[in-house]
Amino acid sequence: MKKLVLPLAAAVVLSACGVLPTLPESGAPQPHRRPPVAAPTKVDLLLKEANRLAEEVKAGRLSRTAAADQLNAYRLRVAGPNLVDDNTFAAYRYIAVERDAGRMNPAEAQDKMEVKLREWLRAWPKLRQKPADPAFTNFLLKVYRLPPLGY
């Protein structure tokens, strides 16, 4: 009888495994699956396109102004227009035109763009109708290692 008790107890315990509730998946990656990759943000997309265009400028295939115009077209497709980004882009394009014309050196261009970005950082908290995603401005803030506009 003692020989039967142990196998019966094990059978009862093991049979209970089928009725135990299972925990929902925690979202942790399975060993055979890759973890999910976050979709690139609009800022990331703009940065990638800006880097591509910068290579075209560097190779002499595009002027700074032409690259700025292409980046603007991309910005409008990816993020759409908004007051903040439209204003920031106007300054960005003006600087590109001045650089192409030789009226502004790289240091002056960087200073001028940084001044514009800092203006938006100061104005943002007081802005009544904030755009949902000022991606172009945040892209440039990232390039200049400044904090993004808060939401």
Side-chain angles (χ1 to χ4, degrees):
M1 182 79 162
K2 285 185 181 181
K3 291 181 183 183
L4 284 177
V5 172
L6 191 55
L8 282 174
V12 170
V13 169
L14 291 174
S15 68
C17 291
V19 295
L20 290 174
T22 58
L23 297 174
E25 287 190 34
S26 65
Q30 300 296 319
H32 62 281
R33 292 186 194 164
R34 287 186 174 165
V37 176
T41 66
K42 293 173 186 175
V43 168
D44 295 333
L45 293 171
L46 287 165
L47 183 58
K48 182 177 178 182
E49 180 66 2
N51 285 332
R52 185 189 72 76
L53 291 167
E55 290 300 317
E56 295 293 307
V57 170
K58 190 175 175 183
R61 291 186 289 268
L62 283 177
S63 67
R64 288 177 184 85
T65 304
D69 289 342
Q70 285 188 26
L71 185 58
N72 189 47
Y74 185 78
R75 161 188 87 91
L76 292 171
R77 279 194 314 274
V78 168
N82 66 68
L83 169 77
V84 175
D85 284 350
D86 294 348
N87 180 266
T88 301
F89 176 75
Y92 182 84
R93 188 178 192 286
Y94 169 79
I95 291 167
V97 168
E98 294 299 298
R99 289 280 321 275
D100 281 345
R103 293 185 293 259
M104 195 179 289
N105 66 40
E108 291 169 327
Q110 285 184 334
D111 290 347
K112 195 159 199 75
M113 194 72 244
E114 186 171 341
V115 165
K116 173 53 82 176
L117 293 170
R118 289 187 184 280
E119 285 173 10
W120 275 117
L121 285 169
R122 282 190 301 278
W124 182 260
K126 300 171 208 147
L127 193 61
R128 285 192 173 173
Q129 293 184 321
K130 294 177 174 72
D133 186 5
F136 184 76
T137 304
N138 279 334
F139 141 71
L140 284 173
L141 287 164
K142 183 175 185 172
V143 169
Y144 279 77
R145 293 188 171 106
L146 294 169
L149 296 175
Y151 296 92

